[in-house]
């Protein structure tokens, strides 16, 4: 663990990552670990709801198809139990009706799985301006500008 994290006085920020597909989850976890002090992974709806209540993360990044029935009841329940939690929904579906349904059910952001590497940190940054994601993205922008 880097020394900077060990010396930090504030509690580390936390993100809850929920997806049934372990292979994808590992990749997303690596990306989120560049910004969050702690990434907690869960693989089902009950674990998501319990983890959100117990851990009180700042953000939950959740696969739209987490529930086996394909519904959005988990999102509505999450909103009721943790109204301050920021929720980013991941999906393979790019139809506007799917995005609208997720946003209407309480999602704060919607990211297509095929665009995770480019859009996820930007979505998190949009929820928390001035965050570590913002610093990372601004540093990448400055590096790209200096190189270009």
């Amino acid at each position: 663990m880097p020394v900077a994290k060990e010396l930090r006085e504030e509690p580390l920020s936390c993100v809850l990552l929920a997806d049934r597909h372990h292979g994808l989850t590992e990749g997303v976890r690596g990306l989120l670990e560049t910004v969050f002090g702690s990434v907690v992974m869960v693989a089902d709806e009950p674990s998501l709801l319990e983890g959100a209540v117990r851990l009180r993360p700042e953000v939950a990044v959740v696969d739209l198809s987490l529930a086996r029935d394909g519904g959005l009841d988990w999102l509505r329940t999450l909103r009721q139990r943790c109204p301050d939690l920021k929720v980013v929904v991941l999906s393979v579906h790019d139809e506007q009706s799917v995005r609208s349904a997720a946003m209407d059910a309480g999602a704060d952001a919607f990211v297509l799985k095929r665009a995770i590497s480019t859009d996820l940190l930007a979505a998190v940054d949009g929820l928390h301006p001035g965050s570590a994601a913002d610093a990372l993205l601004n540093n990448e922008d400055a590096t790209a500008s200096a190189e270009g």
Side-chain angles (χ1 to χ4, degrees):
M1 179 179 288
V3 175
K5 286 186 179 182
E6 291 176 352
L7 298 176
R8 213 175 193 175
E9 292 181 27
E10 303 172 19
L12 294 174
S13 59
C14 178
V15 61
L16 190 57
L17 175 58
D19 196 321
R20 290 186 290 147
H21 307 100
H22 184 71
L24 179 66
T25 305
E26 284 297 323
V28 175
R29 175 184 174 184
L31 184 62
L32 292 171
E33 284 177 337
T34 65
V35 178
F36 288 92
S38 176
V39 178
V40 178
M41 299 188 322
V42 297
D44 58 41
E45 185 178 351
S47 299
L48 168 66
L49 298 173
E50 180 182 341
V53 170
R54 288 183 57 227
L55 299 171
R56 294 289 179 201
E58 294 175 57
V59 177
V61 177
V62 186
D63 180 12
L64 181 67
S65 63
L66 183 68
R68 298 228 180 250
D69 67 3
L72 292 170
D73 288 341
W74 62 266
L75 184 50
R76 292 180 191 91
T77 302
L78 194 58
R79 276 284 161 237
Q80 291 170 348
R81 294 183 186 176
C82 304
D84 295 330
L85 177 65
K86 301 298 183 190
V87 180
V88 178
V89 171
L90 303 177
S91 179
V92 296
H93 304 284
D94 63 0
E95 296 86 9
Q96 184 59 40
S97 60
V98 174
R99 179 184 302 264
S100 295
M103 300 304 282
D104 290 347
D108 294 294
F110 186 95
V111 175
L112 291 173
K113 284 189 173 183
R114 68 172 181 253
I116 286 174
S117 64
T118 58
D119 295 356
L120 182 57
L121 291 183
V124 169
D125 177 50
L127 302 175
H128 293 90
S131 68
D134 186 35
L136 181 64
L137 289 169
N138 286 334
N139 188 33
E140 288 175 0
D141 289 344
T143 302
S145 295
E147 292 174 358

